[in-house]
Amino acid sequence: MSKKVFTIKFAGPAGMGIKSVGQLFSKILIAHDFNLSDYSEYPSLVRGGHNTCQISFSQDKVFAPHYFIDILFSIVPNHWPQHLGEFTKDTLIFSDEQIDQINPEFNQKRKGKFLSLPLKTLANEIGSAQVVNTISLGVAAYLFNFDLELTKTIVCGFYKNFCDLNARAIQSGYDYAKTNFSKYKLNLIYKPTTKTTDFYEGNEAYSLGFLAGKGDFYCAYPMTPATGALHFLAAKQEAYPNLKVIHAEDEVGVANMAVGAAFAGARTAVGTSGGGFALMNEAMSLCGVSEVGVVYYLVSRPGPATGIPTYTAQADLLHAINSGHGEFPKIVIAPGDIDESFEMGYQSLNLAAKIQTPVIVISDKFLGESSTSTQDLTKIKPEIDLGDIEKNPNSDYKRYQYSQGGISPRTIPGTQNGQFLANSYEHDEYGFSTEDATTAKKMFDKRNSKYKLALKLAPKANLFGNKSAKKLIISWGSTKGPILEALKNIKNSSDFAFLQLKTLWPINPDIKKIIDGFKEIIVIENNGTGQLVSILKSQFDFNPQKIHLKYDGRPFFPEEIVKKLNN
Amino acid sequence: MPTNYRSSITPTWCPGCHNYLVFAAIQKNLSDLNVDSSNLVMNYDIGCAGNFADFFKTYGFHTLHGRSIATAMGEKIANPNLFVCVIGGDGGIYGEGLNHLVSAVRSNINIKVFVSNNFLYSLTTGQTSPTTPKGSRTKSTPTGNINVPVDPVKLIKSINPDVFVESVDNRDMVKLNDTIKRALEFPGFALVDMIQECVAFGKQLNS
């Protein structure tokens, strides 16, 4: 096998197991030591519509799914014309329809090779209309030269109660392909360069990071695309007896419960998307003034309002940075990939405990609901920072004592002599309300001075590529994968360096020094107004030569970025 | 010797306000039950009743308006060993924060909620509240309140009959004291609706 990245796509209506077959295909890839990166699209529907799951895989690291497809399976007829633009002359399109039944207009526009696959007939022979997805998987297993028995074992492990049925479906697809599609078989010889161990969605990786960071209170109201973390963590409560996962009455309740839980000593996070996050703003301001550290896991989708619920955008960065009324310190960090989603799961808890202020982890649908293969995250044991806790307070304990650096040791309710008032009003060192001008200013200054430590502890930016290149790409969050994948594939890759900002607020002044070392600045963002550009402009003289934006609900694909960089 | 729950700050309510009675009754009963002030978390809503916050010296949270119950639930779930109370007014508990009240009642979570129900928003100078009688002329309803009032006891009982909820007229000090005592002792969610007339703005009520 060459270095080529292969891309496969499964398409069909919601409820036909598109996501399942994608997951199974990925599990089979992992068992064969492939690296992978996947991407799913689905409508806000339970049945019907058009779902897809595509997986790009290679024996080398794949940073992002590719746009152009090598093989597409239309699980039921007519779920391929939506993807005409993604076909090349070599694309294989499998669908359960005869070529002469197809709308001639589609056929005329179509690139690639159309192959008729009688999924319904084969499924009827097996005795279940449901298995069309696993039959397709059998065809793929043949074409990619996967180990048939290993494939069956993995499928059986997934469909435990329907093992025999699905094993027969795999065999049926495999045999059909052997008889009819042998000329398309890719005789791959596996020479793994890495040992992959597992793949995770961003939401799962964040949740595992939260657990590794001793997170023990997670509160949410279901909202796509953050719900994956709620489901994942809710199911972990048996394995983690201290863990409490609460689905509260609304996002206002979620955010205020979280304040109470964190005040009571829990390592606390809430999960939501843009609309829910808007409802949490007042409570975030409360965390700011009462110095209670809560983590907000914000998984963005396109707005405004209900927007395009199951699609992606990086459109909430300014909202995150400006969230909560009044002025108080806040930390906004953005993972760029699965490993960083995991890292920020625990880093955010450490920061919230140490700085005693809100920490926002901003992800998006593309990162939160897409998978990438990586190391076994469950084996990582990060350092835990519980922050400054006063266990033996004296009789005149001041919770909000003025201090160098602004951080005052907190007591956890239950501690003798540690009684204090956490207060939504401006307050004195004990926490009691005040309207005194001198105290108000001193308390503001105390809180604001915590930014210094925040800058020191918050994740540092990554600089990739040729550090002495002329051109610098700047981006943040989930665009990291497509940019790295583009740089892997672009001919003149040594012309570029890539700066990935991981902390979006506060902005580290060192960023300016890095930027000043390059002649041409190119910003890439998955939003319509260039929100990172606005932030950097607010901090220092910043005039990027090019700004590439995408705001149609879809992520950037590496091919698009290559094209933009070549222009 | 009774436990001391007091801060050194002198209460700032109007002379003659019922909250002085409530303050005394809550302290007495907490002390009678030997509730350790370092294991007690009082949550205060916003309003005249919320201003209990500065007069207690226990663990406390002067929360956002309407959100005191949600904050209290977070504390109790995070650490069930804490003794968790809420003090608020009719505006915060039955209006702004009604969804949180419903949620707490449904779960029968072991928190104690004390509502100084004076049928008005008094700290903001006497606008209509969820319990203001129909027809009352207030600053926000100069031609008379068109809404029927919420009956908190009926409302809560209809959601979950297993919780403790009672209304008590504060003028009957013995009954107020006894109701608070039974609420504190109840092994689940308890709410005491403490009826009182606002000494500053109560005259305008059409009751």
Side-chain angles (χ1 to χ4, degrees):
Chain A
M1 184 183 176
S2 72
K3 281 199 167 199
K4 187 182 175 339
V5 174
F6 287 90
T7 300
I8 187 168
K9 189 167 207 157
F10 297 95
M16 288 298 286
I18 299 298
K19 182 84 185 171
S20 301
V21 72
Q23 293 252 300
L24 277 168
F25 190 81
S26 295
K27 281 176 189 283
I28 296 160
L29 288 173
I30 294 292
H32 289 85
D33 282 320
F34 281 100
N35 290 276
L36 67 94
S37 198
D38 80 11
Y39 171 60
S40 297
E41 286 187 352
Y42 59 98
S44 197
L45 286 173
V46 176
R47 289 284 180 273
H50 179 71
N51 275 28
T52 64
C53 182
Q54 72 192 74
I55 300 135
S56 292
F57 61 101
S58 168
Q59 289 185 330
D60 301 317
K61 180 87 182 157
V62 186
F63 297 102
H66 286 214
Y67 182 76
F68 291 110
I69 308 166
D70 296 298
I71 294 182
L72 178 132
F73 285 96
S74 181
I75 300 291
V76 301
N78 215 28
H79 278 269
W80 57 271
Q82 296 87 334
H83 304 287
L84 291 171
E86 300 157 34
F87 300 159
T88 69
K89 66 176 178 33
D90 299 321
T91 303
L92 304 180
I93 306 142
F94 292 93
S95 186
D96 192 356
E97 49 202 313
Q98 296 302 318
I99 197 149
D100 52 16
Q101 297 172 324
I102 297 167
N103 179 339
E105 192 199 339
F106 290 150
N107 247 337
Q108 218 170 13
K109 282 188 200 161
R110 172 178 62 75
K111 288 180 186 164
K113 176 86 187 154
F114 188 92
L115 296 164
S116 196
L117 176 65
L119 286 168
K120 202 172 170 186
T121 312
L122 293 172
N124 285 341
E125 282 169 13
I126 293 162
S128 164
Q130 285 295 312
V131 294
V132 287
N133 60 348
T134 15
I135 296 172
S136 307
L137 196 58
V139 174
Y142 172 79
L143 295 172
F144 287 113
N145 200 22
F146 291 152
D147 184 309
L148 181 61
E149 287 315 308
L150 185 57
T151 301
K152 282 185 186 171
T153 308
I154 289 165
V155 171
C156 275
F158 190 82
Y159 292 114
K160 286 188 186 74
N161 297 333
F162 302 94
C163 168
D164 175 59
L165 185 71
N166 283 286
R168 281 189 287 132
I170 293 288
Q171 186 72 51
S172 158
Y174 195 93
D175 290 344
Y176 189 87
K178 200 172 175 179
T179 311
N180 297 282
F181 306 132
S182 60
K183 66 186 265 202
Y184 302 108
K185 181 168 182 169
L186 300 152
N187 281 308
L188 305 179
I189 298 157
Y190 301 119
K191 281 186 194 157
T193 53
T194 55
K195 180 90 188 151
T196 56
T197 53
D198 215 340
F199 63 100
Y200 304 91
E201 289 187 356
N203 284 336
E204 257 178 281
Y206 165 80
S207 304
L208 286 169
F210 173 82
L211 292 173
K214 307 270 184 237
D216 52 11
F217 193 98
Y218 187 82
C219 195
Y221 183 89
M223 186 168 189
T224 307
T227 318
L230 171 64
H231 293 175
F232 185 86
L233 288 168
K236 290 285 180 198
Q237 289 175 105
E238 258 181 69
Y240 292 78
N242 291 329
L243 174 66
K244 276 135 185 168
V245 180
I246 309 292
H247 165 182
E249 62 275 15
D250 56 34
E251 283 93 344
V252 179
V254 165
N256 284 281
M257 258 192 209
V259 184
F263 164 80
R267 282 166 78 82
T268 305
V270 301
T272 190
S273 192
F277 185 71
L279 292 173
M280 296 180 178
N281 269 237
E282 193 189 18
M284 177 177 303
S285 183
L286 172 62
C287 288
V289 76
S290 60
E291 304 195 45
V292 175
V294 169
V295 173
Y296 300 76
Y297 180 51
L298 166 57
V299 191
S300 284
R301 66 195 216 188
T306 311
I308 321 175
T310 56
Y311 282 79
T312 202
Q314 293 185 310
D316 293 326
L317 181 60
L318 286 171
H319 183 196
I321 290 172
N322 294 315
S323 54
H325 58 291
E327 297 169 301
F328 57 91
K330 187 188 309 157
I331 301 166
V332 181
I333 56 178
D337 57 26
I338 299 302
D339 292 271
E340 289 169 8
S341 296
F342 175 82
E343 285 162 18
M344 290 188 188
Y346 64 81
Q347 285 168 349
S348 55
L349 290 169
N350 286 347
L351 282 167
K354 187 71 190 172
I355 314 287
Q356 303 180 10
T357 211
V359 178
I360 299 160
V361 179
I362 182 166
S363 182
D364 56 34
K365 188 268 175 184
F366 176 47
L367 177 54
E369 294 195 343
S370 299
S371 301
T372 302
S373 52
T374 186
Q375 57 189 314
D376 184 350
L377 297 176
T378 61
K379 295 276 191 294
I380 299 171
K381 301 272 175 272
E383 253 182 60
I384 307 295
D385 188 346
L386 298 174
D388 300 320
I389 296 175
E390 181 58 71
K391 287 188 175 148
N392 298 299
N394 64 33
S395 57
D396 191 38
Y397 169 67
K398 294 171 176 171
R399 166 66 182 89
Y400 300 99
Q401 186 160 36
Y402 302 123
S403 65
Q404 190 73 31
I407 288 157
S408 338
R410 67 196 168 108
T411 53
I412 309 288
T415 308
Q416 290 291 331
N417 289 329
Q419 292 95 323
F420 73 96
L421 182 65
N423 205 334
S424 65
Y425 286 85
E426 189 55 273
H427 44 262
D428 62 16
E429 289 177 285
Y430 297 97
F432 293 122
S433 301
T434 186
E435 292 167 358
D436 176 65
T438 310
T439 312
K441 182 177 182 304
K442 276 183 91 171
M443 271 296 160
F444 178 97
D445 290 340
K446 163 188 146 52
R447 289 190 296 266
N448 225 45
S449 68
K450 295 194 287 185
Y451 268 131
K452 202 173 164 194
L453 186 59
L455 274 171
K456 201 175 137 199
L457 298 180
K460 300 287 176 294
N462 281 327
L463 187 61
F464 298 98
N466 178 7
K467 292 168 181 70
S468 53
K470 281 186 181 163
K471 297 176 183 178
L472 177 70
I473 301 164
I474 304 178
S475 196
W476 64 280
S478 69
T479 50
K480 178 188 182 183
I483 292 170
L484 287 180
E485 191 67 16
L487 292 179
K488 205 173 88 182
N489 294 306
I490 198 166
K491 281 202 185 82
N492 49 341
S493 65
S494 63
D495 287 357
F496 299 94
F498 164 38
L499 180 67
Q500 178 214 357
L501 299 191
K502 286 162 83 173
T503 298
L504 283 308
W505 196 262
I507 293 290
N508 197 313
D510 291 347
I511 298 294
K512 168 73 174 153
K513 288 179 212 154
I514 299 170
I515 294 173
D516 283 347
F518 294 87
K519 271 204 151 157
E520 186 179 327
I521 304 297
I522 305 157
V523 179
I524 299 179
E525 291 188 71
N526 212 173
N527 59 47
T529 54
Q531 300 194 10
L532 176 63
V533 176
S534 308
I535 292 154
L536 296 182
K537 274 181 187 285
S538 78
Q539 299 298 298
F540 43 73
D541 186 31
F542 182 67
N543 292 295
Q545 277 69 29
K546 285 177 184 157
I547 302 169
H548 298 304
L549 306 175
K550 186 173 182 182
Y551 45 90
D552 59 359
R554 276 71 180 167
F556 279 104
F557 288 94
E559 294 95 324
E560 287 174 89
I561 292 176
V562 168
K563 214 170 154 185
K564 284 179 190 297
L565 293 178
N566 279 335
N567 271 338
Chain B
M1 206 179 107
T3 313
N4 182 14
Y5 302 98
R6 283 279 286 117
S7 76
S8 55
I9 297 170
T10 307
T12 49
W13 298 301
C14 302
C17 177
H18 284 237
N19 282 331
Y20 289 100
L21 292 177
V22 172
F23 191 31
I26 288 175
Q27 287 180 82
K28 180 195 178 321
N29 284 293
L30 285 170
S31 179
D32 289 352
L33 285 170
N34 285 320
V35 178
D36 179 352
S37 76
S38 65
N39 201 47
L40 170 64
V41 186
M42 303 291 289
N43 293 275
Y44 312 93
D45 215 272
I46 299 296
C48 294
N51 285 346
F52 275 98
D54 289 342
F55 318 138
F56 274 104
K57 181 76 199 261
T58 70
Y59 282 98
F61 212 135
H62 202 165
T63 68
L64 295 169
H65 182 50
R67 315 305 168 201
S68 48
I69 288 179
T71 308
M73 285 179 77
E75 293 155 1
K76 187 68 185 177
I77 295 166
N79 183 358
N81 296 322
L82 296 172
F83 197 102
V84 178
C85 298
V86 172
I87 305 178
D90 40 313
I93 304 295
Y94 305 143
E96 182 94 22
L98 185 65
N99 204 11
H100 313 308
L101 172 63
V102 170
S103 180
V105 168
R106 286 174 59 208
S107 70
N108 198 3
I109 188 168
N110 191 357
I111 62 173
K112 314 301 169 195
V113 182
F114 301 100
V115 186
S116 287
N117 181 2
N118 65 6
F119 311 98
L120 283 171
Y121 289 93
S122 286
L123 190 63
T124 50
T125 70
Q127 300 81 6
T128 182
S129 91
T131 50
T132 305
K134 191 175 178 181
S136 301
R137 291 170 192 267
T138 72
K139 283 181 186 165
S140 61
T141 55
T143 57
N145 172 24
I146 61 168
N147 300 314
V148 295
V150 164
D151 180 335
V153 176
K154 268 192 193 165
L155 174 72
I156 289 170
K157 280 287 176 197
S158 78
I159 297 165
N160 187 350
D162 294 338
V163 303
F164 179 104
V165 54
E166 284 184 28
S167 228
V168 56
D169 186 332
N170 281 2
R171 289 173 299 187
D172 186 341
M173 184 67 198
V174 175
K175 198 175 169 202
L176 172 67
N177 192 56
D178 173 64
T179 313
I180 290 174
K181 177 176 184 286
R182 285 183 293 113
L184 290 174
E185 286 169 346
F186 185 76
F189 179 90
L191 183 141
V192 184
D193 177 62
M194 304 178 295
I195 292 170
Q196 56 196 65
E197 186 178 305
C198 174
V199 293
F201 303 104
K203 296 277 183 285
Q204 60 192 321
L205 295 172
N206 180 23
S207 51

